[in-house]
């Protein structure tokens, strides 16, 4: 026997308008952040081989690019820098004349309304490619690295950054950054912490983009083990206690369960990073004609939001903006 309100589920799926009306998840470009790679090593935009459509940009085009992004309705960019010179302690990461410090000023002058978020991590600036400074055995020294990361964050904020996003995964970095910002009267600058950042193969294309592959070893002694989820909750709790204003899970797709659990346990704005490998896989399959790119991207981004992300960092943001506009 069929229950009484027969076919209710189907009635709510009948037409597009009804489906939209009852939809539980609606993508908005206002919730997206677009990463930009700014390089001192190029003089014109250089496409990243493993990330079709994504470029390393010279400083000279950054303001124009920022304006385009803003006009697409994307509210924020996340900046990564590739310096001209690297050394053991990542000096260019916190130099006032560093690539990111200069880029922030250019963007803020051209489009002050665009939120500028900066990645705070030493791996693009150290000659060994690790996210902190090393001891004699090549092991990352946590507390020594904190001092440099805090200096780096402060220099970004002094240059005009709206939000800083530490991605290095050292213990105590959120607290160290909060302390130095407060001391310098930047109490109102939020910290977006990459709290649950897994040691992931999905960062492969990024490392080509940011030229930040470690020269030896890997990042497993400071990034998280993909087998763990309780550990993610501990990482998030620690960051919140130290003063994080937003928390992040990264990567997104293989970690949707982590996003959901973090969302259930904590009530700060939750960010998910739809990382480079997740982008490249879709691009590659789409270029081969194996999948429908727009359909897959919509499905993937929707799944990240449905899992519990409030904010999504994605290389697809400009395309998404156009797709969403055409839907209207
Ligand atoms: C570290 C950093 C990484 C990414 C963002 N910040 C790479 C890493 O930890 O090796 C990866 C982002 C992506 O893959 O899109 N500065």
């Amino acid at each position: 026997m069929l229950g009484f309100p027969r076919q209710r589920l189907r009635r709510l799926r009948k037409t597009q308008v009804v489906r939209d009306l009852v939809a539980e998840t609606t993508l908005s470009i206002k919730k997206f952040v677009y990463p930009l790679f700014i390089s001192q090593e190029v003089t014109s935009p250089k496409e990243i081989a493993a990330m079709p459509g994504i470029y390393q940009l010279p400083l000279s085009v950054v303001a124009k690019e920022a304006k385009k992004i803003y006009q697409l309705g994307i509210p924020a960019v996340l900046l990564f820098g590739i310096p001209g010179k690297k050394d053991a302690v990542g000096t260019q990461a916190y130099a006032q004349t560093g690539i990111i410090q200069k880029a922030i000023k250019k963007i803020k002058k051209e489009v002050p309304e665009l939120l500028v978020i900066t990645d705070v991590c030493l791996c693009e600036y150290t000659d060994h490619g690790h996210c902190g400074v090393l001891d004699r055995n090549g092991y990352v020294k946590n507390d020594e690295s904190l001092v440099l990361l805090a200096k780096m964050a402060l220099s970004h904020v002094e240059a005009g950054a709206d939000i800083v996003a530490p991605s290095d995964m050292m213990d105590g970095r959120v607290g160290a950054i909060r302390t130095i910002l407060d001391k310098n009267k930047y109490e109102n600058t939020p910290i977006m912490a990459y709290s649950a950042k897994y040691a992931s193969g999905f960062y492969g294309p990024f490392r080509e983009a940011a030229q930040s592959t470690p020269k030896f070893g890997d990042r497993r002694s400071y990034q998280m083990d993909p087998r763990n989820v309780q550990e993610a909750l501990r990482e998030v709790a620690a960051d919140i206690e130290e003063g994080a204003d937003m928390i992040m899970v990264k990567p997104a797709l293989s970690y949707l369960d982590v996003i959901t659990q973090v969302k259930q346990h904590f009530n700060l704005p939750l960010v998910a990073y739809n990382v480079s490998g997740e982008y490249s896989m879709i691009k590659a399959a789409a270029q081969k004609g194996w999948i429908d790119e727009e359909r897959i991207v919509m499905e993937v981004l929707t799944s990240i939001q449905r899992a519990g992300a409030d904010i999504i960092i994605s290389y697809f943001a400009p395309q998404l903006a156009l797709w969403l506009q055409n839907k209207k």
Side-chain angles (χ1 to χ4, degrees):
M1 271 289 278
L2 288 168
F4 177 59
R6 286 186 62 231
Q7 300 203 19
R8 174 188 285 151
L9 297 173
R10 291 199 35 210
R11 274 194 290 279
L12 294 181
R13 284 179 210 145
K14 192 162 177 220
T15 62
Q16 188 64 44
V17 204
V18 175
R19 288 193 293 273
D20 285 346
L21 190 68
V22 301
E24 299 167 41
T25 309
T26 305
L27 291 177
S28 159
I29 199 63
K30 292 279 156 240
K31 298 291 182 180
F32 278 80
V33 176
Y34 183 54
L36 287 182
F37 298 100
I38 302 151
S39 172
Q40 227 151 18
E41 305 244 275
V42 300
T43 49
S44 59
K46 182 174 169 224
E47 193 165 22
I48 296 149
M51 300 179 75
I54 307 293
Y55 295 80
Q56 290 180 342
L57 305 172
L59 256 186
S60 57
V61 308
V62 162
K64 213 173 73 201
E65 184 68 21
K67 184 143 207 185
K68 262 200 289 188
I69 293 162
Y70 185 70
Q71 284 168 345
L72 282 170
I74 300 169
V77 287
L78 173 62
L79 305 186
F80 294 96
I82 300 129
K85 255 193 338 249
K86 305 193 185 208
D87 59 33
V89 292
T91 307
Q92 286 303 309
Y94 35 88
Q96 267 178 18
T97 52
I99 177 89
I100 287 300
Q101 290 78 358
K102 285 186 183 162
I104 297 166
K105 288 186 190 139
K106 282 195 186 282
I107 295 172
K108 277 289 156 191
K109 196 161 160 224
E110 181 78 17
V111 252
E113 308 86 351
L114 183 69
L115 280 177
V116 173
I117 310 173
T118 57
D119 187 79
V120 176
C121 187
L122 293 176
C123 66
E124 296 114 64
Y125 301 88
T126 52
D127 50 15
H128 44 74
H130 280 284
C131 302
V133 287
L134 304 178
D135 68 12
R136 238 178 281 134
N137 304 316
Y139 186 74
V140 174
K141 294 198 278 192
N142 191 86
D143 291 5
E144 285 82 346
S145 303
L146 293 185
V147 179
L148 303 181
L149 292 161
K151 247 169 92 171
M152 181 179 183
L154 178 62
S155 76
H156 289 173
V157 175
E158 282 173 342
D162 297 292
I163 301 175
V164 287
S167 69
D168 52 283
M169 287 300 277
M170 299 304 133
D171 279 353
R173 77 238 198 268
V174 173
I177 292 173
R178 188 70 271 156
T179 304
I180 201 169
L181 292 184
D182 288 358
K183 235 187 242 154
N184 288 275
K185 305 248 181 316
Y186 294 110
E187 309 81 351
N188 293 326
T189 303
I191 299 175
M192 175 190 280
Y194 287 70
S195 304
K197 177 174 177 185
Y198 286 85
S200 168
F202 286 100
Y203 308 147
F206 172 94
R207 292 186 183 164
E208 177 203 327
Q211 295 167 6
S212 64
T213 310
K215 290 284 171 316
F216 56 87
D218 55 39
R219 304 207 204 290
R220 285 176 227 232
S221 67
Y222 42 102
Q223 296 183 351
M224 281 188 50
D225 188 328
R227 293 173 293 187
N228 299 343
V229 64
Q230 297 296 320
E231 189 188 8
L233 301 179
R234 291 199 294 274
E235 283 282 4
V236 171
D239 280 359
I240 292 176
E241 192 159 319
E242 287 175 32
D245 301 285
M246 303 178 212
I247 48 187
M248 193 191 304
V249 173
K250 173 182 172 200
L253 288 185
S254 288
Y255 301 88
L256 293 178
D257 59 320
V258 181
I259 294 174
T260 302
Q261 289 219 29
V262 170
K263 184 69 183 174
Q264 285 167 351
H265 282 84
F266 304 96
N267 63 3
L268 288 185
L270 174 55
V271 189
Y273 199 141
N274 174 218
V275 301
S276 58
E278 298 170 348
Y279 173 86
S280 301
M281 289 193 303
I282 292 176
K283 280 289 177 189
Q287 281 183 352
K288 287 196 173 257
W290 291 347
I291 55 169
D292 174 342
E293 181 172 356
E294 179 176 348
R295 190 164 174 195
I296 295 270
V297 171
M298 288 294 182
E299 194 169 333
V300 157
L301 296 176
T302 299
S303 76
I304 298 170
Q305 191 181 313
R306 192 192 61 229
D310 301 300
I311 300 161
I312 302 175
I313 303 172
S314 178
Y315 302 98
F316 289 115
Q319 270 178 293
L320 176 72
L322 295 174
W323 287 330
L324 291 175
Q325 283 167 17
N326 291 339
K327 287 266 145 59
K328 275 185 211 144

